[in-house]
Amino acid sequence: MFTSVLMIEKALTSADVEFVTTLHGDEPVAFHVLLQPRGEQADRLLRAIDDVALGELDEAVREGETPEGDEARSTGERALAVSLQALRATGDTAEGRLVEGHPLDALRTMVEEVGADEVIVLTDPHYVEEFFHRDWASRARHKVGVPVLKLFSHSKA
């Protein structure tokens, strides 16, 4: 069985689930999901700049509405539950947890705990962080000791 740590920031869509569950053909996969609630991961200015770069000015204006703190955690718990259920519905195994503390430390810990074969980082584009190689995937490549695959979500944030 192939073991993947899947790092996400919101609930997986059906297209995302199909995308990640078909990466290894018919080989069974055990997914270990880490969800970093969006409201906790980046400051509003960076998210607004990303929205502007994507031409989504209305989204940039609404960045102040993004849940923070306990509200983000509650939203994250629901997103994690939905994502795990969707992965399990494909016949793969899936377990997961919300990120507590620094996302990359949580990622490294999970990789070590489960003996992961790879890390998949599935997020919306974050142009500012990507340009400076400060996005999760770029930084994880130097921390986890296994291949890191960066994929973009198939839905809007």
Side-chain angles (χ1 to χ4, degrees):
M1 179 170 290
F2 202 82
T3 304
S4 291
V5 173
L6 177 60
M7 190 164 202
I8 60 176
E9 61 189 356
K10 63 184 181 181
L12 296 173
T13 66
S14 57
D16 293 333
V17 171
E18 182 178 355
F19 195 30
V20 299
T21 59
T22 59
L23 287 172
H24 299 289
D26 294 332
E27 186 172 359
V29 179
F31 287 100
H32 298 272
V33 181
L34 279 176
L35 187 137
Q36 170 70 50
R38 182 178 168 118
E40 307 252 342
Q41 100 188 19
D43 70 276
R44 290 180 180 150
L45 177 60
L46 288 177
R47 292 193 313 255
I49 291 170
D50 286 338
D51 291 335
V52 170
L54 289 168
E56 297 172 353
L57 300 179
D58 291 341
E59 292 297 321
V61 172
R62 286 195 290 269
E63 281 301 335
E65 300 169 9
T66 300
E68 301 284 342
D70 289 340
E71 186 181 347
R73 182 172 180 77
S74 175
T75 301
E77 289 169 348
R78 288 190 303 274
L80 180 59
V82 166
S83 299
L84 294 175
Q85 182 179 8
L87 289 167
R88 291 175 187 141
T90 68
D92 289 312
T93 62
E95 64 175 39
R97 59 185 175 235
L98 293 182
V99 171
E100 302 285 339
H102 193 278
L104 293 175
D105 292 340
L107 182 61
R108 181 178 48 213
T109 298
M110 184 173 272
V111 165
E112 292 169 359
E113 284 176 6
V114 303
D117 296 303
E118 70 178 357
V119 168
I120 301 171
V121 177
L122 180 71
T123 68
D124 290 322
H126 297 291
Y127 294 114
V128 174
E129 290 95 336
E130 290 166 23
F131 180 79
F132 291 106
H133 302 283
R134 301 302 299 158
D135 58 298
W136 290 340
S138 295
R139 291 167 53 197
R141 288 184 178 105
H142 304 288
K143 283 195 113 161
V144 298
V146 297
V148 176
L149 178 62
K150 178 181 182 174
L151 302 174
F152 290 121
S153 177
H154 283 77
S155 69
K156 281 178 62 172

